[in-house]
Amino acid sequence: MTPFAMTAAVDEALDAERELVALETSVLSHGLPAPWNRRAAEAMESAVRSAGAEPAWVWTDAGFVRLGATGDDLDRLTSGGAAKVARRDLPIALAAGTLGGTTVSAAAWVAHRMSIEVLATGGIGGVHPRSGDVSADLMELSRAPITVVCSGPKAILDPKATMERLEELGVGILGFGTDRLPFFVVREVDLPLEHRADDPKEVAAAVRARRELGVASALVVCNPCPAEAALPADLVASAVRRCTDRARGVTGKRLTPTLLACLAEETEGRSLEANLALLEGNATLAGRIAAHL
Ligand code: PSU
Ligand code: MN
């Protein structure tokens, strides 16, 4: 029996070879509080569909890796009871029947396994300042030949150290409409990007070239947070400094969700507005790239 279970919509899209966009679900289960997570889910789904592709939420439940989610499924994923499932946790979560939200590392692995080429998220994981914590997203991006549309690394991370790791791991980076690194809720920071695309078609061409070459690492498309929702870099930097202090002693999987919750508190909810806006923007761009493949 296959360990994958899909909704009818995802099944039909796969059968008809219609383009799909994989969506990680740990942003729903751990990255955003209610009701923001449910709103993000709806906004991302309609964004992918409007762009001409089918959304495929990646999650685990009752012994299956699930692709696609109904409204009831999304209610369960956003109501606080789900585990955070990284790639290494997938077999264990399956065996235990865990309800789980997948991180980028797990969703990237599943997307590649199911031949889905594009994945959308908010911000990828990376190198945390001081604690020595490094997200499993980075290693997985080095061996999942997919395209991840994000707004750069999450603003709770060390952007420079994260970019150095991505270079070492051979992960391709494309700025979308920018020459500088998008930094999650901050539109961009002063780190130059070598490569830029201004049109989904250009990204699709790079995806096809990667496919033809058989290069095994991911292409990360860094799409800046919409200007009207983005936060000033200095405001976020000082909030993150306070949060990093407040989160001292928090380890493992809880670190990123703890820092994101703290960032929301320290910015009086503005980081949530920005997170929602960039998730929607990334889902749209992912759908448009997929539609060009
Ligand atoms: N993007 C968001 N919010 C999130 C995440 C991404 O806007 O919460 C999630 C992704 O699932 C990413 C995870 O893979 O955070 C990183 O967690 P960690 O640092 O523990 O690897
Ligand atoms: Mn970690």
Side-chain angles (χ1 to χ4, degrees), residues 128 133-136 252-253 255-256:
H128 285 269
D133 182 300
V134 179
S135 173
K253 287 183 167 169
L255 181 59
T256 291

Side-chain angles (χ1 to χ4, degrees), residues 43-69:
M44 290 180 82
E45 280 202 339
S46 15
V48 171
R49 290 210 176 99
S50 308
E54 181 61 31
W57 298 103
V58 180
W59 53 296
T60 65
D61 188 37
F64 291 93
V65 171
R66 309 256 163 189
L67 284 115

Side-chain angles (χ1 to χ4, degrees), residues 53-283:
E54 181 61 31
W57 298 103
V58 180
W59 53 296
T60 65
D61 188 37
F64 291 93
V65 171
R66 309 256 163 189
L67 284 115
T70 64
D72 284 347
D73 295 336
L74 290 173
D75 286 342
R76 290 179 63 219
L77 280 166
T78 52
S79 56
K84 181 172 161 186
V85 173
R87 199 270 292 146
R88 69 171 183 169
D89 307 312
L90 278 171
I92 303 165
L94 243 60
T98 307
L99 171 67
T102 56
T103 66
V104 168
S105 71
W109 183 88
V110 171
H112 173 51
R113 175 79 171 69
M114 299 307 284
S115 304
I116 300 173
E117 275 190 296
V118 184
L119 180 145
T121 185
I124 55 169
V127 181
H128 285 269
R130 301 208 280 279
S131 66
D133 182 300
V134 179
S135 173
D137 290 357
L138 296 187
M139 183 62 83
E140 208 51 35
L141 290 174
S142 77
R143 55 191 174 199
I146 62 161
T147 297
V148 176
V149 182
C150 64
S151 298
K154 278 189 278 281
I156 53 172
L157 300 167
D158 178 336
K160 201 158 186 297
T162 302
M163 293 307 281
E164 291 294 346
R165 284 290 283 148
L166 287 167
E167 180 181 2
E168 176 190 358
L169 290 165
V171 177
I173 311 281
L174 260 180
F176 191 81
T178 181
D179 299 304
R180 298 193 308 157
L181 182 71
F183 195 35
F184 194 53
V185 296
V186 178
R187 221 176 127 72
E188 43 186 38
V189 288
D190 207 10
L191 283 176
L193 295 178
E194 242 177 286
H195 308 290
R196 157 183 189 142
D198 290 282
D199 188 295
K201 263 191 225 159
E202 281 175 67
V203 180
V207 172
R208 275 193 298 273
R210 193 258 322 271
R211 197 195 287 158
E212 279 154 22
L213 288 166
V215 168
S217 52
L219 181 66
V220 174
V221 179
C222 296
N223 184 33
C225 178
E228 60 284 5
L231 303 189
D234 51 350
L235 180 133
V236 172
S238 61
V240 167
R241 265 195 303 277
R242 288 192 296 277
C243 289
T244 305
D245 285 342
R246 281 175 59 182
R248 208 171 305 159
V250 178
T251 56
K253 287 183 167 169
R254 285 178 47 243
L255 181 59
T256 291
T258 302
L259 288 169
L260 288 175
C262 176
L263 182 63
E265 212 181 289
E266 293 278 354
T267 61
E268 287 159 346
R270 287 174 70 195
S271 70
L272 299 174
E273 300 273 4
N275 202 347
L276 187 67
L278 66 87
L279 283 165
E280 191 173 3
N282 295 342

